[in-house]
Amino acid sequence: MSQPLAQGLRAQRAPAWLEPLAGLLGEGHLLTSAADLWAYARDRLPYATFHVRDGDLPGTLPTAVACPGGIEELQAVVRLARAQGVPLIPFGAGSGVLGGTVPLDHELMVDLKRLNRVIELNETDASVTVQAGMNGGQFEAWLNDRGYTCGHLPQSLYMSTVGGWAACRGAGQNSTRFGKIEDIVLGLAAVLPDGRELRVRPVARRAVGPSVKDLLVGSEGSFGIITELTLRVWRLPEARHGVVLGFPSLQAGLDALRTVMQRELRPAVVRLYDAEESAQRGKEAGIGAALPILAILEFCGLPRLAALERDLALEIVAGEGGVVLADGPYRHWMQHRYESYSPQWQSRDHFMDTIEVTGGWSQLPQMYERIRDGLRALSPGMYFGTHWSHVYPEGACQYMTLRLPPMARDEALRLHRQAWDVAQRVCLSLGGSISHHHGVGVFRNPWLKEELGVGLELLQGLKDHLDPANLFVPGKLALRGRAGAVDIAAAGGTTGEHAS
Ligand SMILES: Cc1cc2nc3c(=O)[nH]c(=O)nc-3n(C[C@H](O)[C@H](O)[C@H](O)COP(=O)(O)OP(=O)(O)OC[C@H]3O[C@@H](n4cnc5c(N)ncnc54)[C@H](O)[C@@H]3O)c2cc1C
């Protein structure tokens, strides 16, 4: 502890546990400087960005940041926190966009980035075991060097950790072929709130009751800290065939994608853009009045098989009036696929956010139109663009971008929250799911009760059992918060119900 404690630190907590914590972590691995505490007071939740760029905190400062160097050290941190009643938040890389790592009550941040080793590549079982704090980009590069990919390639690949992928139940850009992270995780290890280690051995499949693994995957740190993951791996594809398509209508594009999936073809990349986004990306390729809708498909794998799948898909596309266009938009997308676009808008005082939901094919057209019309009614100046990626035989992820022009922050925050409410409620009313892969964090709390029904009580019961003192990531995942903690939902004036 080389720096004085920052403002916002709760003085009564400091003497009780900071010194022993510093002792067990060793020199340089407990951060308490004001700069460090500010850096860990937010993630990529846009609501947090809107506050931080004005010099405000979205929640509170953390009390300190612990950086354990191994599993036993992490267990010791958890036991000390439990003994002292210290709330904590596991921290991967802070790329979450729902406020999962935003401290609401001066929590201790537990940064996992020192747990950053690949433990074993098992080429016979086609699996790799990796520590949870490893950077996603470094992990994928390590695999690529050996001829493999883990198939999970989120846009945030280089700014996220492997553990964060599993904790948030994320989806990579090739998920249509390789699955979401819950399809890729074979086994895991985690430290529970009482300090014990939970291990789920990696096996192909099992039938021993409900999946314990899936209690951790998607629990966003509330039930335990994931320390190790065993993931599926695939050989790097020998061939890639990217195609760019123009469709005469959005419905024709949706129907083509549905048929491609229901005929059991396996594109790795599927992206269908609405007219707004198509116009921005596809003009040079031929998007216009006759073909207002752009789509990108990629098939990969063994050269003959990938080419055959592409050709079969193109027959389906032609049946819906789709036309193959010049491949500029595919090459552009490949080149920029890991870049983040939000800073360019947010640094210019715009209020930008993205909302991803899941709908069945029968629900998606209405889901799109009702959300679009609802947002236009709310604010005619709001930008609204949508694409459909992460596609299944049953339905797809609908990924929406909203952008408000510069305006007074209070007014923008009110419109921003109302826009979320419209999108989530339309989705619920049509029977979809309010999140496909970004997770819940704190910002989605208001809509979880309607999403999960009695299921939310089951999660709360499990939480109460595992973590009776409510120390792991309190107040997130719509689970009970701590008395006196910042309530971001209430601060935003949402009309939704809060579970706490
Ligand atoms: C520009 C941009 C693009 C994005 N693109 C995608 C995308 O394509 N696909 C996608 O799925 N997401 C995407 N995201 C969201 C985000 O990157 C993912 O949710 C990512 O998986 C979070 O990983 P992280 O390591 O940064 O987690 P953090 O933000 O550090 O943590 C997120 C949550 O998980 C918990 N947590 C983190 N690590 C652990 C652990 N080891 N054990 C238990 N709990 C843990 C935290 O407490 C927190 O609640 C994007 C975000 C940005 C900013």
Side-chain angles (χ1 to χ4, degrees), residues 421-439:
D421 205 40
V422 167
Q424 301 283 258
R425 285 187 188 286
V426 167
C427 175
L428 286 165
S429 71
L430 290 170
S433 175
I434 59 171
S435 176
H436 177 266
H437 60 271
H438 282 168

PDB file of all heavy atoms in Angstrom, residues 421-439:
ATOM      1  N   ASP A 421     -36.558   0.964 -21.699  1.00  0.00           N
ATOM      2  CA  ASP A 421     -37.823   0.412 -21.206  1.00  0.00           C
ATOM      3  C   ASP A 421     -38.707  -0.030 -22.377  1.00  0.00           C
ATOM      4  O   ASP A 421     -39.298  -1.113 -22.339  1.00  0.00           O
ATOM      5  CB  ASP A 421     -38.534   1.485 -20.353  1.00  0.00           C
ATOM      6  CG  ASP A 421     -39.482   0.852 -19.358  1.00  0.00           C
ATOM      7  OD1 ASP A 421     -39.121  -0.197 -18.774  1.00  0.00           O
ATOM      8  OD2 ASP A 421     -40.588   1.388 -19.185  1.00  0.00           O
ATOM      9  N   VAL A 422     -38.751   0.793 -23.426  1.00  0.00           N
ATOM     10  CA  VAL A 422     -39.545   0.430 -24.610  1.00  0.00           C
ATOM     11  C   VAL A 422     -39.008  -0.877 -25.194  1.00  0.00           C
ATOM     12  O   VAL A 422     -39.752  -1.836 -25.441  1.00  0.00           O
ATOM     13  CB  VAL A 422     -39.486   1.557 -25.679  1.00  0.00           C
ATOM     14  CG1 VAL A 422     -40.036   1.058 -27.015  1.00  0.00           C
ATOM     15  CG2 VAL A 422     -40.246   2.788 -25.202  1.00  0.00           C
ATOM     16  N   ALA A 423     -37.681  -0.935 -25.415  1.00  0.00           N
ATOM     17  CA  ALA A 423     -37.094  -2.107 -26.087  1.00  0.00           C
ATOM     18  C   ALA A 423     -37.324  -3.378 -25.265  1.00  0.00           C
ATOM     19  O   ALA A 423     -37.712  -4.428 -25.800  1.00  0.00           O
ATOM     20  CB  ALA A 423     -35.602  -1.884 -26.321  1.00  0.00           C
ATOM     21  N   GLN A 424     -37.100  -3.295 -23.947  1.00  0.00           N
ATOM     22  CA  GLN A 424     -37.217  -4.495 -23.123  1.00  0.00           C
ATOM     23  C   GLN A 424     -38.672  -4.937 -22.992  1.00  0.00           C
ATOM     24  O   GLN A 424     -38.990  -6.119 -23.030  1.00  0.00           O
ATOM     25  CB  GLN A 424     -36.594  -4.254 -21.740  1.00  0.00           C
ATOM     26  CG  GLN A 424     -35.117  -3.873 -21.821  1.00  0.00           C
ATOM     27  CD  GLN A 424     -34.184  -5.043 -22.089  1.00  0.00           C
ATOM     28  OE1 GLN A 424     -33.538  -5.557 -21.210  1.00  0.00           O
ATOM     29  NE2 GLN A 424     -34.092  -5.477 -23.323  1.00  0.00           N
ATOM     30  N   ARG A 425     -39.566  -3.962 -22.872  1.00  0.00           N
ATOM     31  CA  ARG A 425     -40.976  -4.339 -22.685  1.00  0.00           C
ATOM     32  C   ARG A 425     -41.602  -4.885 -23.963  1.00  0.00           C
ATOM     33  O   ARG A 425     -42.396  -5.816 -23.920  1.00  0.00           O
ATOM     34  CB  ARG A 425     -41.783  -3.142 -22.151  1.00  0.00           C
ATOM     35  CG  ARG A 425     -41.476  -2.912 -20.702  1.00  0.00           C
ATOM     36  CD  ARG A 425     -42.314  -1.881 -20.031  1.00  0.00           C
ATOM     37  NE  ARG A 425     -41.757  -1.674 -18.712  1.00  0.00           N
ATOM     38  CZ  ARG A 425     -41.884  -2.536 -17.696  1.00  0.00           C
ATOM     39  NH1 ARG A 425     -42.587  -3.635 -17.852  1.00  0.00           N
ATOM     40  NH2 ARG A 425     -41.316  -2.294 -16.535  1.00  0.00           N
ATOM     41  N   VAL A 426     -41.247  -4.304 -25.107  1.00  0.00           N
ATOM     42  CA  VAL A 426     -41.766  -4.855 -26.370  1.00  0.00           C
ATOM     43  C   VAL A 426     -41.301  -6.299 -26.500  1.00  0.00           C
ATOM     44  O   VAL A 426     -42.066  -7.208 -26.845  1.00  0.00           O
ATOM     45  CB  VAL A 426     -41.300  -4.012 -27.581  1.00  0.00           C
ATOM     46  CG1 VAL A 426     -41.568  -4.756 -28.886  1.00  0.00           C
ATOM     47  CG2 VAL A 426     -41.993  -2.653 -27.587  1.00  0.00           C
ATOM     48  N   CYS A 427     -40.021  -6.507 -26.215  1.00  0.00           N
ATOM     49  CA  CYS A 427     -39.446  -7.843 -26.330  1.00  0.00           C
ATOM     50  C   CYS A 427     -40.183  -8.831 -25.416  1.00  0.00           C
ATOM     51  O   CYS A 427     -40.591  -9.916 -25.844  1.00  0.00           O
ATOM     52  CB  CYS A 427     -37.966  -7.724 -25.958  1.00  0.00           C
ATOM     53  SG  CYS A 427     -37.151  -9.282 -25.913  1.00  0.00           S
ATOM     54  N   LEU A 428     -40.398  -8.431 -24.155  1.00  0.00           N
ATOM     55  CA  LEU A 428     -41.106  -9.311 -23.210  1.00  0.00           C
ATOM     56  C   LEU A 428     -42.535  -9.570 -23.669  1.00  0.00           C
ATOM     57  O   LEU A 428     -43.035 -10.699 -23.595  1.00  0.00           O
ATOM     58  CB  LEU A 428     -41.099  -8.686 -21.813  1.00  0.00           C
ATOM     59  CG  LEU A 428     -39.749  -8.737 -21.080  1.00  0.00           C
ATOM     60  CD1 LEU A 428     -39.743  -7.775 -19.882  1.00  0.00           C
ATOM     61  CD2 LEU A 428     -39.437 -10.159 -20.621  1.00  0.00           C
ATOM     62  N   SER A 429     -43.192  -8.526 -24.165  1.00  0.00           N
ATOM     63  CA  SER A 429     -44.609  -8.695 -24.527  1.00  0.00           C
ATOM     64  C   SER A 429     -44.759  -9.656 -25.710  1.00  0.00           C
ATOM     65  O   SER A 429     -45.793 -10.283 -25.870  1.00  0.00           O
ATOM     66  CB  SER A 429     -45.244  -7.338 -24.856  1.00  0.00           C
ATOM     67  OG  SER A 429     -44.736  -6.873 -26.097  1.00  0.00           O
ATOM     68  N   LEU A 430     -43.708  -9.781 -26.527  1.00  0.00           N
ATOM     69  CA  LEU A 430     -43.790 -10.688 -27.678  1.00  0.00           C
ATOM     70  C   LEU A 430     -43.237 -12.077 -27.354  1.00  0.00           C
ATOM     71  O   LEU A 430     -43.242 -12.970 -28.199  1.00  0.00           O
ATOM     72  CB  LEU A 430     -43.023 -10.082 -28.862  1.00  0.00           C
ATOM     73  CG  LEU A 430     -43.684  -8.853 -29.493  1.00  0.00           C
ATOM     74  CD1 LEU A 430     -42.755  -8.180 -30.493  1.00  0.00           C
ATOM     75  CD2 LEU A 430     -44.995  -9.240 -30.179  1.00  0.00           C
ATOM     76  N   GLY A 431     -42.709 -12.245 -26.140  1.00  0.00           N
ATOM     77  CA  GLY A 431     -42.231 -13.570 -25.738  1.00  0.00           C
ATOM     78  C   GLY A 431     -40.763 -13.815 -26.019  1.00  0.00           C
ATOM     79  O   GLY A 431     -40.297 -14.958 -25.964  1.00  0.00           O
ATOM     80  N   GLY A 432     -39.990 -12.765 -26.299  1.00  0.00           N
ATOM     81  CA  GLY A 432     -38.549 -12.938 -26.519  1.00  0.00           C
ATOM     82  C   GLY A 432     -37.777 -12.893 -25.214  1.00  0.00           C
ATOM     83  O   GLY A 432     -38.363 -12.868 -24.133  1.00  0.00           O
ATOM     84  N   SER A 433     -36.454 -12.886 -25.312  1.00  0.00           N
ATOM     85  CA  SER A 433     -35.625 -12.717 -24.119  1.00  0.00           C
ATOM     86  C   SER A 433     -34.958 -11.353 -24.176  1.00  0.00           C
ATOM     87  O   SER A 433     -34.511 -10.914 -25.239  1.00  0.00           O
ATOM     88  CB  SER A 433     -34.550 -13.802 -24.016  1.00  0.00           C
ATOM     89  OG  SER A 433     -33.726 -13.489 -22.898  1.00  0.00           O
ATOM     90  N   ILE A 434     -34.856 -10.701 -22.999  1.00  0.00           N
ATOM     91  CA  ILE A 434     -34.359  -9.322 -22.965  1.00  0.00           C
ATOM     92  C   ILE A 434     -32.859  -9.236 -23.190  1.00  0.00           C
ATOM     93  O   ILE A 434     -32.336  -8.152 -23.384  1.00  0.00           O
ATOM     94  CB  ILE A 434     -34.731  -8.603 -21.646  1.00  0.00           C
ATOM     95  CG1 ILE A 434     -34.147  -9.348 -20.438  1.00  0.00           C
ATOM     96  CG2 ILE A 434     -36.243  -8.426 -21.548  1.00  0.00           C
ATOM     97  CD1 ILE A 434     -34.296  -8.566 -19.135  1.00  0.00           C
ATOM     98  N   SER A 435     -32.128 -10.350 -23.145  1.00  0.00           N
ATOM     99  CA  SER A 435     -30.691 -10.289 -23.457  1.00  0.00           C
ATOM    100  C   SER A 435     -30.250 -11.549 -24.182  1.00  0.00           C
ATOM    101  O   SER A 435     -30.569 -12.658 -23.758  1.00  0.00           O
ATOM    102  CB  SER A 435     -29.847 -10.124 -22.193  1.00  0.00           C
ATOM    103  OG  SER A 435     -28.466 -10.156 -22.544  1.00  0.00           O
ATOM    104  N   HIS A 436     -29.468 -11.361 -25.237  1.00  0.00           N
ATOM    105  CA  HIS A 436     -28.882 -12.517 -25.926  1.00  0.00           C
ATOM    106  C   HIS A 436     -27.491 -12.822 -25.413  1.00  0.00           C
ATOM    107  O   HIS A 436     -27.133 -13.982 -25.230  1.00  0.00           O
ATOM    108  CB  HIS A 436     -28.841 -12.263 -27.434  1.00  0.00           C
ATOM    109  CG  HIS A 436     -28.201 -13.371 -28.211  1.00  0.00           C
ATOM    110  ND1 HIS A 436     -26.860 -13.367 -28.542  1.00  0.00           N
ATOM    111  CD2 HIS A 436     -28.698 -14.532 -28.697  1.00  0.00           C
ATOM    112  CE1 HIS A 436     -26.570 -14.476 -29.217  1.00  0.00           C
ATOM    113  NE2 HIS A 436     -27.669 -15.198 -29.319  1.00  0.00           N
ATOM    114  N   HIS A 437     -26.650 -11.788 -25.168  1.00  0.00           N
ATOM    115  CA  HIS A 437     -25.276 -12.089 -24.744  1.00  0.00           C
ATOM    116  C   HIS A 437     -24.585 -11.025 -23.899  1.00  0.00           C
ATOM    117  O   HIS A 437     -23.508 -11.277 -23.389  1.00  0.00           O
ATOM    118  CB  HIS A 437     -24.391 -12.412 -25.966  1.00  0.00           C
ATOM    119  CG  HIS A 437     -24.301 -11.298 -26.970  1.00  0.00           C
ATOM    120  ND1 HIS A 437     -25.194 -11.172 -27.998  1.00  0.00           N
ATOM    121  CD2 HIS A 437     -23.432 -10.271 -27.099  1.00  0.00           C
ATOM    122  CE1 HIS A 437     -24.862 -10.113 -28.737  1.00  0.00           C
ATOM    123  NE2 HIS A 437     -23.802  -9.542 -28.200  1.00  0.00           N
ATOM    124  N   HIS A 438     -25.148  -9.856 -23.721  1.00  0.00           N
ATOM    125  CA  HIS A 438     -24.459  -8.859 -22.894  1.00  0.00           C
ATOM    126  C   HIS A 438     -24.663  -9.100 -21.404  1.00  0.00           C
ATOM    127  O   HIS A 438     -23.886  -8.601 -20.591  1.00  0.00           O
ATOM    128  CB  HIS A 438     -24.918  -7.444 -23.251  1.00  0.00           C
ATOM    129  CG  HIS A 438     -24.282  -6.910 -24.513  1.00  0.00           C
ATOM    130  ND1 HIS A 438     -24.722  -5.779 -25.142  1.00  0.00           N
ATOM    131  CD2 HIS A 438     -23.230  -7.366 -25.257  1.00  0.00           C
ATOM    132  CE1 HIS A 438     -23.975  -5.548 -26.230  1.00  0.00           C
ATOM    133  NE2 HIS A 438     -23.072  -6.501 -26.319  1.00  0.00           N
ATOM    134  N   GLY A 439     -25.698  -9.818 -21.034  1.00  0.00           N
ATOM    135  CA  GLY A 439     -25.927 -10.131 -19.631  1.00  0.00           C
ATOM    136  C   GLY A 439     -26.811  -9.102 -18.943  1.00  0.00           C
ATOM    137  O   GLY A 439     -27.516  -8.318 -19.594  1.00  0.00           O
TER     138      GLY A 439
END
